[in-house]
Amino acid sequence: MKNLRGTLSSKDLWSGLIFFFFGVVFVYFGRNYQMGTAMRMGPAYFPTLLGALLTFVGIILMAKTFIKPGDKVESMRYSKVIYITLANLFFAFMLRRIGVVLSIVLLVLIGAYASQKFKWSYAMPLALGLAIGSAIIFVLLLHLPLPILGQWFGG
């Protein structure tokens, strides 16, 4: 009984369940679209392939837990979850208003602040690199209709 209790509180078991759940969801919703082939991928190809891989990883993690239980899940740190959630909500609501670059910088900084190891010297270069790289890739190269500078800055 003690071993089962340790297994049920294992990080690997819960991670595996999360991977498995999202993998099954991707495969389930992907079945409504045309699959295509490897040479001419349809809209279902990538989500189905990704879902199958996530499901497989989930099964491996859950099986590993029953062979050798891993670290136990710690108590939930709600303040950290709140920071991460707020960072994503801020990004979603402010993207059009302040643009891709500033939205991503603030997303990364707010999200990084949730860490106990937060340091401006690491977070700021990461935020700037991700913001500039995302603007180049998504806006300039892929031509996604996102403002580099938002409405508030005349973009």
Side-chain angles (χ1 to χ4, degrees):
M1 183 69 171
K2 184 178 180 183
N3 191 22
L4 180 62
R5 190 173 293 141
T7 300
L8 293 177
S9 64
S10 171
K11 286 182 181 180
D12 288 338
L13 176 68
W14 290 102
S15 298
L17 284 171
I18 291 169
F19 277 107
F20 183 81
F21 172 78
F22 282 104
V24 169
V25 168
F26 282 4
V27 170
Y28 177 78
F29 284 109
R31 69 185 175 84
N32 295 327
Y33 299 101
Q34 185 179 19
M35 185 67 151
T37 65
M39 295 300 289
R40 297 188 62 91
M41 295 178 193
Y45 195 89
F46 184 73
T48 304
L49 183 64
L50 178 64
L53 289 172
L54 285 173
T55 303
F56 179 70
V57 169
I59 290 169
I60 297 296
L61 281 172
M62 288 186 290
K64 178 183 166 235
T65 300
F66 290 102
I67 296 169
K68 180 183 173 205
D71 297 335
K72 292 185 178 186
V73 176
E74 298 174 14
S75 63
M76 182 70 118
R77 305 240 169 103
Y78 292 104
S79 63
K80 305 205 180 292
V81 172
I82 290 169
Y83 277 120
I84 302 297
T85 304
L86 287 176
N88 285 287
L89 290 173
F90 181 84
F91 175 80
F93 288 120
M94 298 303 286
L95 179 62
R96 298 272 180 212
R97 293 172 181 87
I98 62 176
V100 170
V101 174
L102 191 54
S103 291
I104 291 176
V105 166
L106 293 172
L107 167 76
V108 173
L109 291 177
I110 295 168
Y113 191 72
S115 172
Q116 292 175 331
K117 299 176 183 179
F118 175 79
K119 290 185 182 178
W120 284 101
S121 59
Y122 295 126
M124 189 55 84
L126 175 65
L128 290 172
L130 286 172
I132 293 168
S134 295
I136 290 170
I137 292 169
F138 295 113
V139 178
L140 300 177
L141 296 177
L142 294 175
H143 304 290
L144 293 181
L146 300 171
I148 292 179
L149 293 175
Q151 300 165 348
W152 292 358
F153 300 109

